[in-house]
Amino acid sequence: MELPVIDLAPYLEKELDSQIKSLCCEVSRTLKETGALLVKDPRCTAEDNDRFIDMMEKYFQQPEEFKRLQERPHLHYQVGVTPEGVEVPRSLVDEEMKEKLKAMPKEYQPSSPSGPDPKWRYMWRVGPRPEITRFKELNSEPVIPEGFPEWKCTMDSWGYKMISAIECVAEMAAIGFGLSKDAFTSLMQQGPHLLAPTGSDLRRYAKEGTVFAGYHYDLNFLTIHGRSRFPGLSIWLRNGQKMQVKVPVGCLLIQTGKQIEWLTAGECMAGMHEVVVTNRTTDAIKRALEQNRSLWRVSSTLFAHIASDAVLKPLGHFSDAPLASKYPPICAGEFVEQELAIINLKGDMELDNPYSR
């Protein structure tokens, strides 16, 4: 099975209502059935993605001592760089999830991580934050590495473009689900959105089966990625089937998080996924070596959130859904805190990234 590619241009250009309605229904159906969606947004070009990845490759291949200058462990890594070996996959520590994995058919079971993820990450906040909030975020200054004069412009430009694509998909999904157009986007205003690219060193970790991101779901609303230069992402469909994702050039990948599951009373479930070195990854490594290209696998991940003070609850007709009682009203910020409390880290390890499990 291949994920369909949805061209957002007709919706952005407000073409015929019948065509738009059909597109919106395809968006909601695909998110429901697969937890993922490929989109083509004319505002987000392959050149934009390449510019961002070029910069992040240049950054991640810097010496470790340089990168650690951007590390902020006392702020729980919520700005700046997170070194490899810090983020812990949920499947490693969540006992309930472990039991579910054992019950899965062998051919669909995820890879088993042996410890924390061997990937780096950079956290960069995108978009305005509320001046008054019950869930005061860390208001520390953004961290900009020396020697990267284009850093802020590149991060903000790509981050805002991806948020625009998410907002478009959120509107289309709402229409497809039979909700008002702004049902989701009105709750996203001033959300704690994070551009959080990862960097995985394929010179050191090129062995097939290496787990860069253990089996997990994202706790935010929707997650969006530009195309990575090295494959390795697998997702699980609603029917439990495991599928490797292939992102065409010029396209973006969107994945469902736990917050959209809450708002739709389980109609649209949080998508499970992992990133593992596969035979496709090793083939891409060989090509990169032949072409003398960087062997850092960059994922240009952005986590889009519901605003911390907004209430998560089944919207519209979803409030009457059979499973609605499983999703009682809760502030999004409180929901995030509860999700974090589930993760029990070992020893003196710092908090891992709270936006991706």
Side-chain angles (χ1 to χ4, degrees):
M1 175 183 175
E2 297 285 339
L3 292 175
V5 176
I6 305 294
D7 189 348
L8 303 185
Y11 183 82
L12 293 170
E13 295 164 6
K14 297 178 171 51
E15 293 189 6
L16 295 175
D17 287 347
S18 58
Q19 182 184 7
I20 288 176
K21 179 64 176 176
S22 176
L23 269 179
C24 292
C25 288
E26 187 172 3
V27 166
S28 60
R29 178 187 59 79
T30 304
L31 290 177
K32 173 184 174 181
E33 294 178 358
T34 70
L37 182 70
L38 292 170
V39 300
K40 190 172 183 61
D41 188 327
R43 301 167 299 180
C44 304
T45 67
E47 290 74 23
D48 292 326
N49 188 47
D50 286 340
R51 188 179 306 112
F52 178 83
I53 290 182
D54 287 345
M55 185 183 76
M56 293 312 303
E57 285 179 347
K58 179 183 173 185
Y59 172 77
F60 284 125
Q61 64 194 21
Q62 298 299 312
E64 181 173 334
E65 56 269 25
F66 171 83
K67 289 181 287 191
R68 285 190 176 271
L69 295 174
Q70 291 85 55
E71 184 182 10
R72 301 293 184 269
H74 61 290
L75 299 177
H76 307 304
Y77 300 101
Q78 289 313 287
V79 292
V81 76
T82 306
E84 64 179 55
V86 173
E87 295 189 17
V88 178
R90 190 172 191 135
S91 57
L92 201 63
V93 295
D94 187 329
E95 296 302 323
E96 182 181 349
M97 183 177 287
K98 287 181 183 180
E99 291 303 312
K100 289 181 179 179
L101 297 187
K102 291 178 184 177
M104 293 172 66
K106 286 289 185 182
E107 65 269 27
Y108 296 152
Q109 287 185 1
S111 302
S112 299
S114 57
D117 295 338
K119 68 175 186 292
W120 292 72
R121 188 188 292 278
Y122 208 99
M123 304 289 260
W124 183 266
R125 296 176 185 187
V126 179
R129 300 299 199 256
E131 293 183 8
I132 301 174
T133 173
R134 285 179 52 202
F135 305 91
K136 194 67 177 174
E137 289 187 274
L138 298 169
N139 287 312
S140 50
E141 289 297 312
V143 181
I144 301 176
E146 288 187 14
F148 288 82
E150 75 279 26
W151 187 271
K152 186 178 188 304
C153 178
T154 303
M155 298 294 267
D156 286 344
S157 173
W158 187 232
Y160 275 105
K161 286 185 177 187
M162 289 205 292
I163 286 177
S164 294
I166 285 260
E167 289 174 339
C168 180
V169 168
E171 287 185 357
M172 296 176 74
I175 293 169
F177 282 129
L179 303 171
S180 63
K181 173 182 171 180
D182 66 347
F184 298 135
T185 53
S186 62
L187 298 174
M188 291 173 60
Q189 299 305 310
Q190 297 188 329
H193 312 310
L194 273 176
L195 178 58
T198 64
S200 305
D201 188 353
L202 294 173
R203 287 192 183 274
R204 295 177 59 203
Y205 303 108
K207 183 179 178 182
E208 194 168 329
T210 300
V211 180
F212 282 126
Y215 181 81
H216 67 284
Y217 63 75
D218 294 342
L219 64 80
N220 51 295
F221 174 60
L222 291 173
T223 301
I224 186 168
H225 313 265
R227 182 177 184 271
S228 175
R229 290 170 176 166
F230 297 92
L233 175 69
S234 291
I235 65 172
W236 276 257
L237 308 181
R238 186 70 174 260
N239 63 9
Q241 180 182 348
K242 182 180 180 179
M243 184 183 84
Q244 290 190 36
V245 177
K246 300 176 182 178
V247 181
V249 174
C251 291
L252 301 165
L253 172 68
I254 292 176
Q255 295 173 276
T256 53
K258 202 69 175 178
Q259 291 175 349
I260 193 173
E261 177 181 331
W262 213 273
L263 297 171
T264 62
E267 177 81 0
C268 188
M269 299 290 288
M272 305 304 300
H273 49 283
E274 69 177 8
V275 179
V276 177
V277 176
T278 66
N279 60 338
R280 291 177 58 227
T281 316
T282 56
D283 288 344
I285 291 172
K286 292 174 185 174
R287 290 193 297 272
L289 282 169
E290 292 168 358
Q291 298 166 10
N292 198 30
R293 290 191 286 108
S294 172
L295 289 184
W296 277 88
R297 182 189 188 277
V298 173
S299 174
S300 56
T301 304
L302 183 139
F303 301 115
H305 272 261
I306 298 302
S308 299
D309 294 274
V311 176
L312 288 176
K313 63 179 180 179
L315 300 176
H317 62 87
F318 290 121
S319 63
D320 298 321
L323 298 180
S325 61
K326 287 183 58 180
Y327 303 94
I330 182 173
C331 271
E334 185 179 347
F335 169 77
V336 169
E337 291 174 350
Q338 289 185 7
E339 285 285 302
L340 298 184
I342 295 172
I343 304 297
N344 299 308
L345 301 179
K346 298 179 180 179
D348 60 355
M349 191 176 296
E350 298 287 349
L351 283 175
D352 64 328
N353 168 26
Y355 295 94
S356 176
R357 296 293 176 229

